[in-house]
């Protein structure tokens, strides 16, 4: 069972290194904010996962496929929250 996990992890590292070695340009990730904001966002995601009883993907894919009332409600709340945040960031707090 560990074999495929090790192969997956090796592929995550070796694929971009191989691509770079044969001449493909590898772009550096662009961090949209400071590390403090990134860490705070990660902590908020972890708290939300704990509070919501699962992750957005788990509720949105698995839970809704099972017609779980809880997952349908959670996914609706996730989507509504995302829509509000995007609207605020793009139209209210845009600099």
């Amino acid at each position: 069972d560990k074999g495929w996990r090790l192969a997956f992890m090796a592929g995550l590292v070796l694929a971009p290194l191989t691509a770079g070695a044969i001449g493909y340009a590898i772009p550096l990730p662009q961090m949209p904010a400071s590390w403090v904001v990134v860490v705070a966002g990660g902590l908020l995601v972890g708290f939300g996962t704990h509070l919501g009883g699962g992750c957005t993907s788990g509720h949105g894919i698995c839970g809704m496929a099972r017609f779980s009332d809880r997952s349908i409600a959670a996914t609706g709340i996730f989507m509504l929250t995302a829509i509000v945040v995007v609207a605020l960031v793009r139209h209210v707090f845009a600099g």
Side-chain angles (χ1 to χ4, degrees):
D1 188 42
K2 291 182 183 179
W4 73 267
R5 294 171 195 241
L6 291 172
F8 179 77
M9 295 299 290
L12 288 176
V13 174
L14 294 175
L17 292 177
T18 303
I22 62 174
Y24 286 97
I26 301 173
L28 293 175
Q30 298 294 318
M31 297 300 285
S34 70
W35 280 103
V36 173
V37 173
V38 172
V39 170
L43 291 172
L44 286 171
V45 167
F47 176 72
T49 300
H50 176 73
L51 185 66
C55 67
T56 53
S57 298
H59 282 297
I61 296 170
C62 298
M64 288 185 61
R66 293 183 339 203
F67 298 108
S68 166
D69 291 337
R70 184 171 145 233
S71 290
I72 292 169
T75 303
I77 292 169
F78 297 150
M79 294 301 295
L80 181 61
T81 302
I83 291 166
V84 169
V85 168
V86 168
L88 288 173
V89 168
R90 291 204 175 174
H91 301 291
V92 176
F93 299 117

